[in-house]
Structures are given as structure tokens and as C-alpha cells.
Amino acid sequence: MNDWGWRIPFLLAAPLDLGGLYMRRNMEDSAAFHKLQASGKIEKSPLRKTLSSSGRALLFCVGFVVVKAVSSWVLQSSMPGYLSTHLHYSRTDAYLITTLGLLSVAICMPLTGYLSDRWGRRPLMLMGCGGFILLTYPAMLLMTQGSVMTSIVAMSLLGCLSPCLTAAVAQRWGSFFPPRFATAALPSPKT
């Protein structure tokens, strides 16, 4: 099983990949893109134009993706092993702490979606990035105290910041780049 069993999830995901490919190939372009296409204002070299005129937005997006990826990795992948191996929690306690931390993500997700509609996407994204950067070290320090309850609180604090990074990201990214070359900066349905 160890030699070949790891392939099973990938094989099971193959129909999802084909469905996603079909949707991307058959998705309609936006009305703004059709309007630009009709007027002939589509960039000849959209990647070059993106890099030369929207470098700051592109850097923000790259930095944001890095923070989001690290937050997901910390909360979902590395935490059980870190708690049990390095901080010597029992596996049961490590999984309990991680599960309750991820439950805080699920509970906070609808709230952050609501707040992103009310306050705007950018403030929420910045709050999530800033909060995760500033509070990860203190939260990890709390986990070293050896108390399961303190670790649950620390993990839940990080879990409450994670949805700020996720809520309405796609809508916000689309507003960073003008439609005439947005396909070079963002994934395109026609790739």
C-alpha cells in the first residue's frame, strides 16, 4: 500500500480535473473584456504591460499569496506534528488543538465574508496579513506553555485570522488590474 497507495487520491481527483478544464475552456469572457475586444484595445503583450505598469499590485498579490500559503500550512499541515514532536503534546491533544483551531476558521468564514462586504476587501485582507504576521510568534509562544487550553486559544486566534485572508480574495484581485491586460496577471478561463 505504501508503494502505490498514495496515487489513489490523485486518480480519484482526475474527473474533477477534467471537469475544471472543461469549465475553463467553455467559460464566457466578461462583458468588459468583450467591449475591449470589440474596440481593439486588447494589449498585444499583456504580460509585459502588467509587469511595467502594475508591478506594485503584482508584488502585493505575490506577498499576499505567500502569507496565505504559510498561514494555511501552519494551521493545517504542520501544527499536529509540531505540537506532538516538538512541544511533546500527546497526539490526541495535538489533533484536538488543531481541529478546534480549524473549527474557528469555519465559524469565522461567514463573518469575514459579511465584513468584507461591509468594510471592503482590502481592509480585511490587510488585517488578515498584518494580524497573521504580528500574532503568529506570540501564538506559538503561548503553545509552548504546555497547556492544552492555552494552545487551543492560540490556535483559534490564528484560525480567526485565516478567513480574513480568504474572504473575497478573487473579487479583490480582479480589481487590481485593468481588464485590457488582467489575463496576464490573473488566471484566465481561456488558458
Short mmCIF file of all heavy atoms in Angstrom, two decimals, residues 13-62:
data_model
loop_
_atom_site.label_atom_id
_atom_site.label_comp_id
_atom_site.label_asym_id
_atom_site.label_seq_id
_atom_site.Cartn_x
_atom_site.Cartn_y
_atom_site.Cartn_z
N ALA A 13 -9.17 12.22 -8.13
CA ALA A 13 -9.33 13.64 -8.46
C ALA A 13 -9.32 13.89 -9.96
O ALA A 13 -9.70 14.98 -10.41
CB ALA A 13 -8.25 14.47 -7.79
N ALA A 14 -8.91 12.93 -10.77
CA ALA A 14 -8.82 13.13 -12.22
C ALA A 14 -10.13 13.61 -12.84
O ALA A 14 -10.11 14.53 -13.65
CB ALA A 14 -8.32 11.86 -12.89
N PRO A 15 -11.29 13.03 -12.49
CA PRO A 15 -12.54 13.56 -13.07
C PRO A 15 -12.79 15.03 -12.70
O PRO A 15 -13.31 15.79 -13.51
CB PRO A 15 -13.63 12.66 -12.48
CG PRO A 15 -12.94 11.40 -12.10
CD PRO A 15 -11.55 11.81 -11.71
N LEU A 16 -12.39 15.43 -11.49
CA LEU A 16 -12.53 16.84 -11.11
C LEU A 16 -11.65 17.72 -11.99
O LEU A 16 -12.05 18.82 -12.39
CB LEU A 16 -12.18 17.04 -9.64
CG LEU A 16 -13.13 16.42 -8.62
CD1 LEU A 16 -12.56 16.57 -7.22
CD2 LEU A 16 -14.48 17.08 -8.71
N ASP A 17 -10.44 17.24 -12.28
CA ASP A 17 -9.55 18.00 -13.16
C ASP A 17 -10.15 18.17 -14.54
O ASP A 17 -10.11 19.26 -15.12
CB ASP A 17 -8.19 17.30 -13.28
CG ASP A 17 -7.40 17.33 -12.00
OD1 ASP A 17 -7.68 18.21 -11.15
OD2 ASP A 17 -6.50 16.49 -11.84
N LEU A 18 -10.72 17.10 -15.07
CA LEU A 18 -11.33 17.18 -16.40
C LEU A 18 -12.53 18.13 -16.39
O LEU A 18 -12.73 18.90 -17.34
CB LEU A 18 -11.76 15.78 -16.87
CG LEU A 18 -10.60 14.82 -17.14
CD1 LEU A 18 -11.13 13.42 -17.46
CD2 LEU A 18 -9.72 15.34 -18.26
N GLY A 19 -13.32 18.08 -15.32
CA GLY A 19 -14.45 19.00 -15.20
C GLY A 19 -14.00 20.44 -15.12
O GLY A 19 -14.57 21.32 -15.76
N GLY A 20 -12.95 20.71 -14.34
CA GLY A 20 -12.40 22.06 -14.24
C GLY A 20 -11.85 22.54 -15.57
O GLY A 20 -12.07 23.70 -15.95
N LEU A 21 -11.16 21.67 -16.28
CA LEU A 21 -10.63 22.03 -17.60
C LEU A 21 -11.77 22.36 -18.56
O LEU A 21 -11.71 23.35 -19.30
CB LEU A 21 -9.77 20.89 -18.15
CG LEU A 21 -9.11 21.13 -19.50
CD1 LEU A 21 -8.13 22.31 -19.42
CD2 LEU A 21 -8.39 19.89 -19.96
N TYR A 22 -12.81 21.56 -18.54
CA TYR A 22 -13.98 21.81 -19.40
C TYR A 22 -14.59 23.18 -19.08
O TYR A 22 -14.90 23.96 -19.98
CB TYR A 22 -15.01 20.70 -19.22
CG TYR A 22 -16.29 20.98 -19.97
CD1 TYR A 22 -16.38 20.73 -21.34
CD2 TYR A 22 -17.40 21.51 -19.33
CE1 TYR A 22 -17.54 21.00 -22.05
CE2 TYR A 22 -18.56 21.79 -20.01
CZ TYR A 22 -18.63 21.54 -21.37
OH TYR A 22 -19.78 21.82 -22.07
N MET A 23 -14.77 23.47 -17.79
CA MET A 23 -15.38 24.75 -17.41
C MET A 23 -14.49 25.92 -17.83
O MET A 23 -14.99 26.93 -18.32
CB MET A 23 -15.64 24.80 -15.90
CG MET A 23 -16.80 23.91 -15.48
SD MET A 23 -17.35 24.12 -13.78
CE MET A 23 -15.89 23.99 -12.84
N ARG A 24 -13.18 25.81 -17.64
CA ARG A 24 -12.28 26.90 -18.01
C ARG A 24 -12.29 27.14 -19.52
O ARG A 24 -12.25 28.27 -19.98
CB ARG A 24 -10.86 26.61 -17.55
CG ARG A 24 -10.67 26.74 -16.05
CD ARG A 24 -9.27 26.35 -15.64
NE ARG A 24 -8.26 27.17 -16.25
CZ ARG A 24 -7.62 28.16 -15.64
NH1 ARG A 24 -7.92 28.44 -14.39
NH2 ARG A 24 -6.71 28.86 -16.26
N ARG A 25 -12.36 26.09 -20.29
CA ARG A 25 -12.36 26.21 -21.75
C ARG A 25 -13.68 26.79 -22.28
O ARG A 25 -13.69 27.43 -23.32
CB ARG A 25 -12.11 24.86 -22.41
CG ARG A 25 -10.76 24.30 -22.12
CD ARG A 25 -9.79 24.80 -23.15
NE ARG A 25 -8.47 24.24 -22.83
CZ ARG A 25 -7.36 24.84 -23.13
NH1 ARG A 25 -7.38 25.99 -23.74
NH2 ARG A 25 -6.22 24.31 -22.82
N ASN A 26 -14.78 26.54 -21.60
CA ASN A 26 -16.09 26.93 -22.09
C ASN A 26 -16.70 28.12 -21.36
O ASN A 26 -17.84 28.48 -21.63
CB ASN A 26 -17.04 25.73 -22.03
CG ASN A 26 -16.58 24.63 -22.95
OD1 ASN A 26 -16.37 24.85 -24.13
ND2 ASN A 26 -16.35 23.46 -22.39
N MET A 27 -15.96 28.74 -20.47
CA MET A 27 -16.48 29.88 -19.71
C MET A 27 -16.49 31.13 -20.58
O MET A 27 -15.57 31.37 -21.35
CB MET A 27 -15.60 30.12 -18.47
CG MET A 27 -16.14 31.16 -17.54
SD MET A 27 -15.03 31.41 -16.13
CE MET A 27 -15.27 29.91 -15.23
N GLU A 28 -17.54 31.90 -20.47
CA GLU A 28 -17.66 33.15 -21.22
C GLU A 28 -16.74 34.21 -20.63
O GLU A 28 -16.57 34.28 -19.42
CB GLU A 28 -19.10 33.65 -21.17
CG GLU A 28 -20.03 32.94 -22.12
CD GLU A 28 -19.70 33.21 -23.58
OE1 GLU A 28 -19.41 34.36 -23.95
OE2 GLU A 28 -19.71 32.23 -24.34
N ASP A 29 -16.19 35.04 -21.50
CA ASP A 29 -15.41 36.19 -21.03
C ASP A 29 -16.36 37.24 -20.48
O ASP A 29 -17.55 37.26 -20.81
CB ASP A 29 -14.60 36.79 -22.18
CG ASP A 29 -13.41 35.92 -22.56
OD1 ASP A 29 -12.74 35.43 -21.63
OD2 ASP A 29 -13.15 35.75 -23.76
N SER A 30 -15.83 38.15 -19.67
CA SER A 30 -16.65 39.19 -19.07
C SER A 30 -17.11 40.20 -20.13
O SER A 30 -16.52 40.32 -21.21
CB SER A 30 -15.87 39.93 -17.98
OG SER A 30 -14.84 40.69 -18.57
N ALA A 31 -18.16 40.94 -19.80
CA ALA A 31 -18.67 41.97 -20.71
C ALA A 31 -17.62 43.04 -20.96
O ALA A 31 -17.48 43.55 -22.09
CB ALA A 31 -19.94 42.57 -20.12
N ALA A 32 -16.85 43.39 -19.93
CA ALA A 32 -15.79 44.39 -20.09
C ALA A 32 -14.75 43.91 -21.09
O ALA A 32 -14.26 44.70 -21.92
CB ALA A 32 -15.14 44.67 -18.74
N PHE A 33 -14.40 42.64 -21.06
CA PHE A 33 -13.41 42.10 -22.00
C PHE A 33 -13.97 42.11 -23.42
O PHE A 33 -13.27 42.49 -24.36
CB PHE A 33 -12.99 40.69 -21.60
CG PHE A 33 -11.94 40.11 -22.50
CD1 PHE A 33 -10.61 40.47 -22.33
CD2 PHE A 33 -12.27 39.23 -23.51
CE1 PHE A 33 -9.63 39.95 -23.17
CE2 PHE A 33 -11.30 38.71 -24.34
CZ PHE A 33 -9.97 39.07 -24.17
N HIS A 34 -15.24 41.71 -23.59
CA HIS A 34 -15.86 41.73 -24.92
C HIS A 34 -15.88 43.15 -25.48
O HIS A 34 -15.65 43.35 -26.68
CB HIS A 34 -17.28 41.16 -24.86
CG HIS A 34 -17.32 39.67 -24.79
ND1 HIS A 34 -16.81 38.85 -25.78
CD2 HIS A 34 -17.81 38.83 -23.84
CE1 HIS A 34 -16.98 37.59 -25.45
NE2 HIS A 34 -17.59 37.55 -24.27
N LYS A 35 -16.16 44.12 -24.64
CA LYS A 35 -16.20 45.52 -25.06
C LYS A 35 -14.81 45.97 -25.52
O LYS A 35 -14.66 46.62 -26.56
CB LYS A 35 -16.70 46.39 -23.91
CG LYS A 35 -16.94 47.82 -24.26
CD LYS A 35 -17.52 48.56 -23.06
CE LYS A 35 -17.65 50.04 -23.36
NZ LYS A 35 -18.14 50.78 -22.20
N LEU A 36 -13.77 45.61 -24.75
CA LEU A 36 -12.41 45.96 -25.14
C LEU A 36 -12.00 45.25 -26.43
O LEU A 36 -11.33 45.83 -27.29
CB LEU A 36 -11.43 45.59 -24.03
CG LEU A 36 -11.38 46.52 -22.84
CD1 LEU A 36 -10.54 45.90 -21.73
CD2 LEU A 36 -10.79 47.85 -23.24
N GLN A 37 -12.42 44.01 -26.55
CA GLN A 37 -12.08 43.24 -27.75
C GLN A 37 -12.71 43.86 -28.99
O GLN A 37 -12.07 43.97 -30.03
CB GLN A 37 -12.56 41.79 -27.55
CG GLN A 37 -11.95 40.80 -28.49
CD GLN A 37 -12.33 39.39 -28.12
OE1 GLN A 37 -13.40 39.15 -27.56
NE2 GLN A 37 -11.46 38.45 -28.43
N ALA A 38 -13.97 44.30 -28.86
CA ALA A 38 -14.66 44.93 -29.98
C ALA A 38 -14.01 46.26 -30.37
O ALA A 38 -13.98 46.62 -31.55
CB ALA A 38 -16.13 45.13 -29.63
N SER A 39 -13.47 46.97 -29.38
CA SER A 39 -12.85 48.26 -29.67
C SER A 39 -11.39 48.12 -30.11
O SER A 39 -10.78 49.11 -30.50
CB SER A 39 -12.93 49.17 -28.43
OG SER A 39 -12.07 48.68 -27.43
N GLY A 40 -10.84 46.92 -30.04
CA GLY A 40 -9.46 46.69 -30.45
C GLY A 40 -8.43 47.18 -29.46
O GLY A 40 -7.28 47.42 -29.83
N LYS A 41 -8.80 47.34 -28.20
CA LYS A 41 -7.89 47.87 -27.19
C LYS A 41 -7.24 46.77 -26.34
O LYS A 41 -6.74 47.05 -25.27
CB LYS A 41 -8.63 48.85 -26.27
CG LYS A 41 -9.06 50.11 -26.97
CD LYS A 41 -9.74 51.06 -26.01
CE LYS A 41 -10.16 52.32 -26.72
NZ LYS A 41 -10.89 53.22 -25.84
N ILE A 42 -7.23 45.56 -26.82
CA ILE A 42 -6.58 44.47 -26.10
C ILE A 42 -5.07 44.61 -26.28
O ILE A 42 -4.60 44.86 -27.39
CB ILE A 42 -7.06 43.10 -26.63
CG1 ILE A 42 -8.57 42.95 -26.48
CG2 ILE A 42 -6.33 41.95 -25.95
CD1 ILE A 42 -9.05 42.94 -25.07
N GLU A 43 -4.34 44.46 -25.22
CA GLU A 43 -2.88 44.58 -25.26
C GLU A 43 -2.28 43.47 -26.12
O GLU A 43 -2.68 42.32 -26.03
CB GLU A 43 -2.30 44.51 -23.85
CG GLU A 43 -2.58 45.71 -23.00
CD GLU A 43 -1.89 46.97 -23.48
OE1 GLU A 43 -0.79 46.87 -24.07
OE2 GLU A 43 -2.45 48.04 -23.27
N LYS A 44 -1.27 43.84 -26.91
CA LYS A 44 -0.56 42.86 -27.74
C LYS A 44 0.37 42.00 -26.88
O LYS A 44 0.58 40.83 -27.15
CB LYS A 44 0.25 43.57 -28.83
CG LYS A 44 -0.60 44.41 -29.74
CD LYS A 44 -0.92 43.67 -31.00
CE LYS A 44 -1.59 44.55 -32.02
NZ LYS A 44 -3.02 44.60 -31.91
N SER A 45 0.95 42.60 -25.85
CA SER A 45 1.85 41.90 -24.95
C SER A 45 1.39 42.14 -23.51
O SER A 45 1.97 42.96 -22.79
CB SER A 45 3.28 42.40 -25.16
OG SER A 45 4.15 41.73 -24.29
N PRO A 46 0.34 41.43 -23.07
CA PRO A 46 -0.24 41.72 -21.76
C PRO A 46 0.69 41.45 -20.58
O PRO A 46 0.65 42.17 -19.59
CB PRO A 46 -1.49 40.83 -21.70
CG PRO A 46 -1.28 39.79 -22.73
CD PRO A 46 -0.36 40.36 -23.76
N LEU A 47 1.55 40.45 -20.68
CA LEU A 47 2.45 40.17 -19.56
C LEU A 47 3.45 41.30 -19.39
O LEU A 47 3.69 41.78 -18.27
CB LEU A 47 3.18 38.84 -19.78
CG LEU A 47 4.13 38.43 -18.66
CD1 LEU A 47 3.40 38.32 -17.32
CD2 LEU A 47 4.82 37.12 -18.99
N ARG A 48 4.02 41.79 -20.48
CA ARG A 48 4.96 42.91 -20.41
C ARG A 48 4.28 44.16 -19.85
O ARG A 48 4.83 44.87 -19.01
CB ARG A 48 5.54 43.19 -21.79
CG ARG A 48 6.60 44.26 -21.79
CD ARG A 48 7.10 44.52 -23.18
NE ARG A 48 7.14 43.26 -23.92
CZ ARG A 48 8.10 42.89 -24.74
NH1 ARG A 48 9.10 43.68 -24.95
NH2 ARG A 48 8.06 41.75 -25.37
N LYS A 49 3.05 44.42 -20.29
CA LYS A 49 2.31 45.59 -19.81
C LYS A 49 1.99 45.45 -18.32
O LYS A 49 2.08 46.42 -17.57
CB LYS A 49 1.01 45.76 -20.63
CG LYS A 49 0.24 46.99 -20.30
CD LYS A 49 0.99 48.23 -20.73
CE LYS A 49 0.14 49.45 -20.50
NZ LYS A 49 0.83 50.69 -20.78
N THR A 50 1.65 44.25 -17.90
CA THR A 50 1.38 44.02 -16.48
C THR A 50 2.62 44.30 -15.64
O THR A 50 2.55 44.99 -14.62
CB THR A 50 0.92 42.56 -16.24
OG1 THR A 50 -0.26 42.33 -16.99
CG2 THR A 50 0.65 42.29 -14.78
N LEU A 51 3.75 43.76 -16.07
CA LEU A 51 4.99 43.95 -15.32
C LEU A 51 5.44 45.41 -15.29
O LEU A 51 5.95 45.88 -14.28
CB LEU A 51 6.10 43.06 -15.88
CG LEU A 51 5.89 41.56 -15.71
CD1 LEU A 51 6.96 40.78 -16.48
CD2 LEU A 51 5.88 41.16 -14.26
N SER A 52 5.22 46.13 -16.40
CA SER A 52 5.70 47.52 -16.45
C SER A 52 4.75 48.50 -15.77
O SER A 52 5.20 49.50 -15.24
CB SER A 52 5.93 47.94 -17.90
OG SER A 52 4.70 47.98 -18.60
N SER A 53 3.45 48.23 -15.77
CA SER A 53 2.52 49.23 -15.24
C SER A 53 1.83 48.82 -13.94
O SER A 53 1.26 49.67 -13.27
CB SER A 53 1.46 49.57 -16.28
OG SER A 53 0.64 48.45 -16.52
N SER A 54 1.88 47.56 -13.59
CA SER A 54 1.19 47.11 -12.38
C SER A 54 2.11 46.30 -11.47
O SER A 54 1.65 45.38 -10.79
CB SER A 54 -0.04 46.28 -12.75
OG SER A 54 -0.98 47.04 -13.45
N GLY A 55 3.37 46.65 -11.47
CA GLY A 55 4.33 45.91 -10.66
C GLY A 55 4.00 45.92 -9.18
O GLY A 55 4.14 44.91 -8.48
N ARG A 56 3.52 47.06 -8.70
CA ARG A 56 3.18 47.17 -7.27
C ARG A 56 2.02 46.24 -6.90
O ARG A 56 2.06 45.55 -5.88
CB ARG A 56 2.84 48.62 -6.97
CG ARG A 56 2.89 48.96 -5.54
CD ARG A 56 2.85 50.47 -5.36
NE ARG A 56 2.56 50.71 -3.97
CZ ARG A 56 1.75 51.62 -3.52
NH1 ARG A 56 1.16 52.45 -4.34
NH2 ARG A 56 1.55 51.75 -2.24
N ALA A 57 0.99 46.23 -7.73
CA ALA A 57 -0.16 45.35 -7.48
C ALA A 57 0.26 43.89 -7.57
O ALA A 57 -0.18 43.06 -6.76
CB ALA A 57 -1.28 45.64 -8.48
N LEU A 58 1.13 43.59 -8.52
CA LEU A 58 1.62 42.22 -8.67
C LEU A 58 2.42 41.79 -7.45
O LEU A 58 2.26 40.67 -6.95
CB LEU A 58 2.45 42.13 -9.94
CG LEU A 58 2.57 40.79 -10.63
CD1 LEU A 58 1.22 40.17 -10.88
CD2 LEU A 58 3.35 40.93 -11.91
N LEU A 59 3.27 42.69 -6.95
CA LEU A 59 4.05 42.38 -5.74
C LEU A 59 3.13 42.17 -4.54
O LEU A 59 3.37 41.29 -3.71
CB LEU A 59 5.05 43.49 -5.45
CG LEU A 59 6.32 43.46 -6.28
CD1 LEU A 59 7.18 44.68 -5.97
CD2 LEU A 59 7.10 42.19 -6.05
N PHE A 60 2.08 42.99 -4.42
CA PHE A 60 1.12 42.81 -3.33
C PHE A 60 0.47 41.44 -3.43
O PHE A 60 0.35 40.73 -2.43
CB PHE A 60 0.04 43.90 -3.35
CG PHE A 60 -1.00 43.71 -2.29
CD1 PHE A 60 -0.78 44.14 -1.00
CD2 PHE A 60 -2.20 43.07 -2.58
CE1 PHE A 60 -1.73 43.95 -0.01
CE2 PHE A 60 -3.16 42.87 -1.60
CZ PHE A 60 -2.92 43.32 -0.31
N CYS A 61 0.07 41.06 -4.64
CA CYS A 61 -0.57 39.75 -4.83
C CYS A 61 0.38 38.61 -4.48
O CYS A 61 -0.02 37.65 -3.82
CB CYS A 61 -1.08 39.60 -6.26
SG CYS A 61 -2.51 40.62 -6.63
N VAL A 62 1.64 38.72 -4.90
CA VAL A 62 2.63 37.68 -4.59
C VAL A 62 2.84 37.60 -3.08
O VAL A 62 2.84 36.51 -2.49
CB VAL A 62 3.95 37.93 -5.34
CG1 VAL A 62 5.07 37.05 -4.80
CG2 VAL A 62 3.76 37.71 -6.82
#
